[in-house]
Amino acid sequence: MSEAKYKISLAENWILNSGIQNLDKHSEAYGGFNAWYDADQKLFSFTYSEITGYGISTLLYLDKLNKNRLFVDRAKVAADWLIERAYDENEAFFCRYEDGKFMDKFCTFDAGMCLNALANLYKAAKDEKYLEISRKVADWVVNKMQKKDGSFYTRYFKEKNQFEENGDKWSKQPGSFLAKVSIGLLNLYCI
């Protein structure tokens, strides 16, 4: 086995077996990806929509390398968690699931990462539900989160009906990182 194939096999083993993806069918987080593992607490901190989007993209990339349908099946489980649990109709995906509930916020960047992942999953699985949710999320990003000058609000709090654009750290402020939202929008446009 070449060194490159060996390293890829390590990544495959990690994503499938590390616990980063919730695989407890009795859990409300089943299918979603966790943000990080707290070694001191010996548990994953929370389940995160953005990371679930990255997980889907990674699984699909690994499938392209090795043509193993297990990767697509696991990507579907993750996407189904996003759609069935994290999606709020007429909005987007709640950002994080922690302590048995979703926090009341929708993040533009997270929606963009999930949009790209779901568009890619549609291309791999040809299941219309992934295309449909991609369209809804794209509409939310463009029609609700994009300002007239083309920039984006970073977050939206539904209960307060409040947009955020000037938070206390980089991820809560508009900036160049939001340009990545265009990846999912362009991917959907190409479909």
Side-chain angles (χ1 to χ4, degrees):
M1 177 183 294
S2 72
E3 184 176 348
K5 284 188 178 187
Y6 173 70
K7 288 179 180 179
I8 291 168
S9 75
L10 292 176
E12 290 173 344
N13 184 57
W14 178 80
I15 202 162
L16 293 175
N17 301 309
S18 69
I20 196 74
Q21 184 179 23
N22 291 291
L23 295 175
D24 177 357
K25 290 184 179 184
H26 303 292
S27 169
E28 291 290 316
Y30 173 68
F33 277 75
N34 297 302
W36 63 79
Y37 184 76
D38 185 328
D40 294 333
Q41 301 273 337
K42 296 190 176 5
L43 53 83
F44 289 100
S45 54
F46 53 86
T47 308
Y48 209 21
S49 296
E50 173 192 353
I51 303 303
T52 301
Y54 292 139
I56 293 167
S57 294
T58 302
L59 289 162
L60 294 172
Y61 179 73
L62 291 170
D63 177 60
K64 279 186 179 182
L65 292 177
N66 292 319
K67 300 294 181 212
N68 181 343
R69 286 307 284 187
L70 175 60
F71 295 121
V72 175
D73 291 343
R74 292 279 288 271
K76 288 179 183 179
V77 170
D80 290 347
W81 177 79
L82 283 174
I83 295 167
E84 294 166 13
R85 300 278 188 223
Y87 183 70
D88 186 52
E89 193 66 37
N90 301 319
E91 299 293 349
F93 303 105
F94 288 107
C95 298
R96 62 194 257 186
Y97 180 79
E98 186 174 13
D99 298 327
K101 64 183 184 283
F102 285 100
M103 299 183 78
D104 179 46
K105 64 182 175 183
F106 303 92
C107 302
T108 305
F109 184 82
D110 299 18
M113 299 306 97
C114 293
L115 167 60
N116 188 54
L118 292 167
N120 284 330
L121 182 55
Y122 168 74
K123 290 191 281 190
K126 303 296 186 226
D127 187 327
E128 290 292 321
K129 74 178 175 181
Y130 303 124
L131 181 59
E132 180 61 28
I133 197 74
S134 296
R135 287 182 180 132
K136 288 180 179 181
V137 173
D139 286 343
W140 179 84
V141 167
V142 171
N143 296 323
K144 187 163 193 165
M145 300 307 287
Q146 190 170 26
K147 297 184 275 185
K148 291 184 194 278
D149 67 2
S151 65
F152 292 94
Y153 293 105
T154 57
R155 301 190 307 173
Y156 173 69
F157 297 88
K158 185 176 182 175
E159 285 183 22
K160 298 178 198 175
N161 191 28
Q162 177 183 352
F163 294 92
E164 179 179 70
E165 62 181 321
N166 292 311
D168 59 351
K169 64 184 205 177
W170 70 267
S171 63
K172 297 177 184 178
Q173 300 171 10
S176 59
F177 78 100
L178 287 171
K180 288 185 178 178
V181 172
S182 66
I183 297 168
L185 293 170
L186 290 168
N187 193 2
L188 180 60
Y189 173 79
C190 289
I191 293 171

PDB file of all heavy atoms in Angstrom, residues 98-123:
ATOM      1  N   GLU A  98     -27.326  21.139  21.494  1.00  0.00           N
ATOM      2  CA  GLU A  98     -26.576  20.923  22.731  1.00  0.00           C
ATOM      3  C   GLU A  98     -27.548  20.738  23.883  1.00  0.00           C
ATOM      4  O   GLU A  98     -28.567  21.433  23.970  1.00  0.00           O
ATOM      5  CB  GLU A  98     -25.683  22.149  22.977  1.00  0.00           C
ATOM      6  CG  GLU A  98     -24.755  22.042  24.128  1.00  0.00           C
ATOM      7  CD  GLU A  98     -23.803  23.233  24.200  1.00  0.00           C
ATOM      8  OE1 GLU A  98     -24.012  24.249  23.503  1.00  0.00           O
ATOM      9  OE2 GLU A  98     -22.845  23.126  24.965  1.00  0.00           O
ATOM     10  N   ASP A  99     -27.241  19.802  24.762  1.00  0.00           N
ATOM     11  CA  ASP A  99     -28.075  19.548  25.942  1.00  0.00           C
ATOM     12  C   ASP A  99     -29.543  19.304  25.583  1.00  0.00           C
ATOM     13  O   ASP A  99     -30.457  19.802  26.227  1.00  0.00           O
ATOM     14  CB  ASP A  99     -27.960  20.706  26.944  1.00  0.00           C
ATOM     15  CG  ASP A  99     -26.546  20.889  27.471  1.00  0.00           C
ATOM     16  OD1 ASP A  99     -25.832  19.868  27.612  1.00  0.00           O
ATOM     17  OD2 ASP A  99     -26.162  22.043  27.714  1.00  0.00           O
ATOM     18  N   GLY A 100     -29.775  18.541  24.514  1.00  0.00           N
ATOM     19  CA  GLY A 100     -31.116  18.136  24.143  1.00  0.00           C
ATOM     20  C   GLY A 100     -31.948  19.171  23.407  1.00  0.00           C
ATOM     21  O   GLY A 100     -33.145  18.966  23.223  1.00  0.00           O
ATOM     22  N   LYS A 101     -31.310  20.277  22.970  1.00  0.00           N
ATOM     23  CA  LYS A 101     -32.090  21.276  22.245  1.00  0.00           C
ATOM     24  C   LYS A 101     -31.186  22.052  21.278  1.00  0.00           C
ATOM     25  O   LYS A 101     -29.972  22.086  21.416  1.00  0.00           O
ATOM     26  CB  LYS A 101     -32.782  22.233  23.206  1.00  0.00           C
ATOM     27  CG  LYS A 101     -31.829  23.065  24.037  1.00  0.00           C
ATOM     28  CD  LYS A 101     -32.603  23.936  25.026  1.00  0.00           C
ATOM     29  CE  LYS A 101     -31.726  24.847  25.792  1.00  0.00           C
ATOM     30  NZ  LYS A 101     -30.961  24.356  26.857  1.00  0.00           N
ATOM     31  N   PHE A 102     -31.852  22.681  20.313  1.00  0.00           N
ATOM     32  CA  PHE A 102     -31.143  23.545  19.383  1.00  0.00           C
ATOM     33  C   PHE A 102     -31.105  24.949  19.952  1.00  0.00           C
ATOM     34  O   PHE A 102     -32.071  25.404  20.569  1.00  0.00           O
ATOM     35  CB  PHE A 102     -31.840  23.567  18.018  1.00  0.00           C
ATOM     36  CG  PHE A 102     -31.617  22.324  17.215  1.00  0.00           C
ATOM     37  CD1 PHE A 102     -32.576  21.337  17.173  1.00  0.00           C
ATOM     38  CD2 PHE A 102     -30.441  22.143  16.503  1.00  0.00           C
ATOM     39  CE1 PHE A 102     -32.370  20.175  16.443  1.00  0.00           C
ATOM     40  CE2 PHE A 102     -30.227  20.985  15.770  1.00  0.00           C
ATOM     41  CZ  PHE A 102     -31.194  20.006  15.747  1.00  0.00           C
ATOM     42  N   MET A 103     -29.994  25.629  19.717  1.00  0.00           N
ATOM     43  CA  MET A 103     -29.898  27.035  20.100  1.00  0.00           C
ATOM     44  C   MET A 103     -30.672  27.850  19.063  1.00  0.00           C
ATOM     45  O   MET A 103     -30.723  27.493  17.897  1.00  0.00           O
ATOM     46  CB  MET A 103     -28.442  27.463  20.151  1.00  0.00           C
ATOM     47  CG  MET A 103     -27.654  26.669  21.179  1.00  0.00           C
ATOM     48  SD  MET A 103     -25.963  27.229  21.311  1.00  0.00           S
ATOM     49  CE  MET A 103     -26.210  28.693  22.299  1.00  0.00           C
ATOM     50  N   ASP A 104     -31.272  28.948  19.497  1.00  0.00           N
ATOM     51  CA  ASP A 104     -32.124  29.758  18.635  1.00  0.00           C
ATOM     52  C   ASP A 104     -31.297  30.701  17.761  1.00  0.00           C
ATOM     53  O   ASP A 104     -31.352  31.920  17.917  1.00  0.00           O
ATOM     54  CB  ASP A 104     -33.110  30.570  19.473  1.00  0.00           C
ATOM     55  CG  ASP A 104     -33.995  31.441  18.610  1.00  0.00           C
ATOM     56  OD1 ASP A 104     -34.517  30.931  17.605  1.00  0.00           O
ATOM     57  OD2 ASP A 104     -34.137  32.639  18.928  1.00  0.00           O
ATOM     58  N   LYS A 105     -30.522  30.122  16.862  1.00  0.00           N
ATOM     59  CA  LYS A 105     -29.790  30.979  15.929  1.00  0.00           C
ATOM     60  C   LYS A 105     -29.515  30.214  14.645  1.00  0.00           C
ATOM     61  O   LYS A 105     -29.369  28.998  14.639  1.00  0.00           O
ATOM     62  CB  LYS A 105     -28.491  31.502  16.534  1.00  0.00           C
ATOM     63  CG  LYS A 105     -27.477  30.439  16.863  1.00  0.00           C
ATOM     64  CD  LYS A 105     -26.233  31.057  17.495  1.00  0.00           C
ATOM     65  CE  LYS A 105     -25.276  29.967  17.926  1.00  0.00           C
ATOM     66  NZ  LYS A 105     -24.112  30.483  18.587  1.00  0.00           N
ATOM     67  N   PHE A 106     -29.490  30.981  13.577  1.00  0.00           N
ATOM     68  CA  PHE A 106     -29.184  30.460  12.251  1.00  0.00           C
ATOM     69  C   PHE A 106     -27.968  31.229  11.758  1.00  0.00           C
ATOM     70  O   PHE A 106     -27.957  32.463  11.790  1.00  0.00           O
ATOM     71  CB  PHE A 106     -30.361  30.687  11.297  1.00  0.00           C
ATOM     72  CG  PHE A 106     -31.644  30.083  11.779  1.00  0.00           C
ATOM     73  CD1 PHE A 106     -32.537  30.824  12.528  1.00  0.00           C
ATOM     74  CD2 PHE A 106     -31.952  28.769  11.481  1.00  0.00           C
ATOM     75  CE1 PHE A 106     -33.729  30.274  12.966  1.00  0.00           C
ATOM     76  CE2 PHE A 106     -33.139  28.202  11.910  1.00  0.00           C
ATOM     77  CZ  PHE A 106     -34.021  28.953  12.661  1.00  0.00           C
ATOM     78  N   CYS A 107     -26.954  30.531  11.300  1.00  0.00           N
ATOM     79  CA  CYS A 107     -25.711  31.163  10.869  1.00  0.00           C
ATOM     80  C   CYS A 107     -25.580  31.060   9.348  1.00  0.00           C
ATOM     81  O   CYS A 107     -25.717  29.972   8.783  1.00  0.00           O
ATOM     82  CB  CYS A 107     -24.519  30.489  11.537  1.00  0.00           C
ATOM     83  SG  CYS A 107     -24.601  30.526  13.343  1.00  0.00           S
ATOM     84  N   THR A 108     -25.308  32.177   8.729  1.00  0.00           N
ATOM     85  CA  THR A 108     -25.188  32.218   7.276  1.00  0.00           C
ATOM     86  C   THR A 108     -24.082  31.294   6.791  1.00  0.00           C
ATOM     87  O   THR A 108     -24.264  30.540   5.831  1.00  0.00           O
ATOM     88  CB  THR A 108     -24.920  33.664   6.809  1.00  0.00           C
ATOM     89  OG1 THR A 108     -25.945  34.500   7.321  1.00  0.00           O
ATOM     90  CG2 THR A 108     -24.885  33.758   5.298  1.00  0.00           C
ATOM     91  N   PHE A 109     -22.926  31.350   7.433  1.00  0.00           N
ATOM     92  CA  PHE A 109     -21.802  30.522   7.008  1.00  0.00           C
ATOM     93  C   PHE A 109     -22.158  29.041   7.103  1.00  0.00           C
ATOM     94  O   PHE A 109     -21.910  28.272   6.176  1.00  0.00           O
ATOM     95  CB  PHE A 109     -20.568  30.822   7.875  1.00  0.00           C
ATOM     96  CG  PHE A 109     -19.354  30.082   7.432  1.00  0.00           C
ATOM     97  CD1 PHE A 109     -18.573  30.551   6.383  1.00  0.00           C
ATOM     98  CD2 PHE A 109     -18.976  28.900   8.055  1.00  0.00           C
ATOM     99  CE1 PHE A 109     -17.449  29.863   5.961  1.00  0.00           C
ATOM    100  CE2 PHE A 109     -17.853  28.209   7.644  1.00  0.00           C
ATOM    101  CZ  PHE A 109     -17.086  28.686   6.592  1.00  0.00           C
ATOM    102  N   ASP A 110     -22.755  28.642   8.207  1.00  0.00           N
ATOM    103  CA  ASP A 110     -23.136  27.247   8.406  1.00  0.00           C
ATOM    104  C   ASP A 110     -24.110  26.797   7.324  1.00  0.00           C
ATOM    105  O   ASP A 110     -23.986  25.690   6.773  1.00  0.00           O
ATOM    106  CB  ASP A 110     -23.772  27.054   9.778  1.00  0.00           C
ATOM    107  CG  ASP A 110     -22.842  27.399  10.923  1.00  0.00           C
ATOM    108  OD1 ASP A 110     -21.829  28.096  10.698  1.00  0.00           O
ATOM    109  OD2 ASP A 110     -23.133  26.992  12.054  1.00  0.00           O
ATOM    110  N   ALA A 111     -25.082  27.663   7.008  1.00  0.00           N
ATOM    111  CA  ALA A 111     -26.051  27.329   5.965  1.00  0.00           C
ATOM    112  C   ALA A 111     -25.344  27.112   4.632  1.00  0.00           C
ATOM    113  O   ALA A 111     -25.679  26.189   3.890  1.00  0.00           O
ATOM    114  CB  ALA A 111     -27.095  28.440   5.844  1.00  0.00           C
ATOM    115  N   GLY A 112     -24.350  27.943   4.336  1.00  0.00           N
ATOM    116  CA  GLY A 112     -23.602  27.795   3.089  1.00  0.00           C
ATOM    117  C   GLY A 112     -22.841  26.488   3.011  1.00  0.00           C
ATOM    118  O   GLY A 112     -22.797  25.845   1.953  1.00  0.00           O
ATOM    119  N   MET A 113     -22.241  26.060   4.124  1.00  0.00           N
ATOM    120  CA  MET A 113     -21.501  24.803   4.129  1.00  0.00           C
ATOM    121  C   MET A 113     -22.441  23.616   3.979  1.00  0.00           C
ATOM    122  O   MET A 113     -22.131  22.649   3.282  1.00  0.00           O
ATOM    123  CB  MET A 113     -20.673  24.653   5.408  1.00  0.00           C
ATOM    124  CG  MET A 113     -19.607  25.745   5.601  1.00  0.00           C
ATOM    125  SD  MET A 113     -18.478  25.950   4.202  1.00  0.00           S
ATOM    126  CE  MET A 113     -19.218  27.318   3.304  1.00  0.00           C
ATOM    127  N   CYS A 114     -23.618  23.704   4.605  1.00  0.00           N
ATOM    128  CA  CYS A 114     -24.610  22.635   4.459  1.00  0.00           C
ATOM    129  C   CYS A 114     -25.194  22.628   3.048  1.00  0.00           C
ATOM    130  O   CYS A 114     -25.416  21.556   2.472  1.00  0.00           O
ATOM    131  CB  CYS A 114     -25.717  22.805   5.492  1.00  0.00           C
ATOM    132  SG  CYS A 114     -25.159  22.563   7.187  1.00  0.00           S
ATOM    133  N   LEU A 115     -25.445  23.804   2.494  1.00  0.00           N
ATOM    134  CA  LEU A 115     -25.954  23.905   1.132  1.00  0.00           C
ATOM    135  C   LEU A 115     -25.027  23.218   0.146  1.00  0.00           C
ATOM    136  O   LEU A 115     -25.460  22.427  -0.688  1.00  0.00           O
ATOM    137  CB  LEU A 115     -26.133  25.377   0.760  1.00  0.00           C
ATOM    138  CG  LEU A 115     -26.367  25.710  -0.717  1.00  0.00           C
ATOM    139  CD1 LEU A 115     -27.620  25.044  -1.251  1.00  0.00           C
ATOM    140  CD2 LEU A 115     -26.438  27.218  -0.902  1.00  0.00           C
ATOM    141  N   ASN A 116     -23.740  23.484   0.246  1.00  0.00           N
ATOM    142  CA  ASN A 116     -22.782  22.851  -0.662  1.00  0.00           C
ATOM    143  C   ASN A 116     -22.777  21.334  -0.487  1.00  0.00           C
ATOM    144  O   ASN A 116     -22.786  20.590  -1.470  1.00  0.00           O
ATOM    145  CB  ASN A 116     -21.381  23.419  -0.437  1.00  0.00           C
ATOM    146  CG  ASN A 116     -20.427  22.939  -1.483  1.00  0.00           C
ATOM    147  OD1 ASN A 116     -20.657  23.080  -2.679  1.00  0.00           O
ATOM    148  ND2 ASN A 116     -19.331  22.342  -1.046  1.00  0.00           N
ATOM    149  N   ALA A 117     -22.785  20.878   0.746  1.00  0.00           N
ATOM    150  CA  ALA A 117     -22.779  19.435   1.011  1.00  0.00           C
ATOM    151  C   ALA A 117     -24.030  18.763   0.450  1.00  0.00           C
ATOM    152  O   ALA A 117     -23.949  17.697  -0.174  1.00  0.00           O
ATOM    153  CB  ALA A 117     -22.669  19.188   2.513  1.00  0.00           C
ATOM    154  N   LEU A 118     -25.186  19.374   0.650  1.00  0.00           N
ATOM    155  CA  LEU A 118     -26.437  18.781   0.169  1.00  0.00           C
ATOM    156  C   LEU A 118     -26.522  18.793  -1.348  1.00  0.00           C
ATOM    157  O   LEU A 118     -27.052  17.853  -1.950  1.00  0.00           O
ATOM    158  CB  LEU A 118     -27.626  19.495   0.800  1.00  0.00           C
ATOM    159  CG  LEU A 118     -27.761  19.260   2.310  1.00  0.00           C
ATOM    160  CD1 LEU A 118     -28.752  20.238   2.911  1.00  0.00           C
ATOM    161  CD2 LEU A 118     -28.154  17.828   2.604  1.00  0.00           C
ATOM    162  N   ALA A 119     -26.005  19.830  -1.973  1.00  0.00           N
ATOM    163  CA  ALA A 119     -25.967  19.856  -3.443  1.00  0.00           C
ATOM    164  C   ALA A 119     -25.069  18.732  -3.955  1.00  0.00           C
ATOM    165  O   ALA A 119     -25.415  18.040  -4.917  1.00  0.00           O
ATOM    166  CB  ALA A 119     -25.476  21.213  -3.934  1.00  0.00           C
ATOM    167  N   ASN A 120     -23.931  18.521  -3.301  1.00  0.00           N
ATOM    168  CA  ASN A 120     -23.045  17.417  -3.690  1.00  0.00           C
ATOM    169  C   ASN A 120     -23.700  16.066  -3.447  1.00  0.00           C
ATOM    170  O   ASN A 120     -23.537  15.143  -4.253  1.00  0.00           O
ATOM    171  CB  ASN A 120     -21.713  17.509  -2.941  1.00  0.00           C
ATOM    172  CG  ASN A 120     -20.820  18.581  -3.503  1.00  0.00           C
ATOM    173  OD1 ASN A 120     -20.858  18.906  -4.685  1.00  0.00           O
ATOM    174  ND2 ASN A 120     -19.997  19.167  -2.646  1.00  0.00           N
ATOM    175  N   LEU A 121     -24.435  15.948  -2.353  1.00  0.00           N
ATOM    176  CA  LEU A 121     -25.115  14.682  -2.082  1.00  0.00           C
ATOM    177  C   LEU A 121     -26.197  14.429  -3.128  1.00  0.00           C
ATOM    178  O   LEU A 121     -26.385  13.285  -3.558  1.00  0.00           O
ATOM    179  CB  LEU A 121     -25.712  14.681  -0.671  1.00  0.00           C
ATOM    180  CG  LEU A 121     -26.398  13.388  -0.248  1.00  0.00           C
ATOM    181  CD1 LEU A 121     -25.486  12.171  -0.388  1.00  0.00           C
ATOM    182  CD2 LEU A 121     -26.912  13.508   1.183  1.00  0.00           C
ATOM    183  N   TYR A 122     -26.880  15.466  -3.551  1.00  0.00           N
ATOM    184  CA  TYR A 122     -27.860  15.281  -4.632  1.00  0.00           C
ATOM    185  C   TYR A 122     -27.165  14.709  -5.866  1.00  0.00           C
ATOM    186  O   TYR A 122     -27.676  13.788  -6.497  1.00  0.00           O
ATOM    187  CB  TYR A 122     -28.564  16.593  -4.974  1.00  0.00           C
ATOM    188  CG  TYR A 122     -29.336  16.475  -6.258  1.00  0.00           C
ATOM    189  CD1 TYR A 122     -30.534  15.752  -6.297  1.00  0.00           C
ATOM    190  CD2 TYR A 122     -28.850  17.009  -7.445  1.00  0.00           C
ATOM    191  CE1 TYR A 122     -31.220  15.588  -7.489  1.00  0.00           C
ATOM    192  CE2 TYR A 122     -29.537  16.849  -8.639  1.00  0.00           C
ATOM    193  CZ  TYR A 122     -30.712  16.138  -8.653  1.00  0.00           C
ATOM    194  OH  TYR A 122     -31.394  15.959  -9.839  1.00  0.00           O
ATOM    195  N   LYS A 123     -26.002  15.242  -6.215  1.00  0.00           N
ATOM    196  CA  LYS A 123     -25.284  14.752  -7.396  1.00  0.00           C
ATOM    197  C   LYS A 123     -24.879  13.290  -7.227  1.00  0.00           C
ATOM    198  O   LYS A 123     -24.905  12.525  -8.188  1.00  0.00           O
ATOM    199  CB  LYS A 123     -24.051  15.626  -7.668  1.00  0.00           C
ATOM    200  CG  LYS A 123     -24.424  17.015  -8.168  1.00  0.00           C
ATOM    201  CD  LYS A 123     -23.244  17.795  -8.685  1.00  0.00           C
ATOM    202  CE  LYS A 123     -22.419  18.397  -7.602  1.00  0.00           C
ATOM    203  NZ  LYS A 123     -21.397  19.342  -8.065  1.00  0.00           N
TER     204      LYS A 123
END
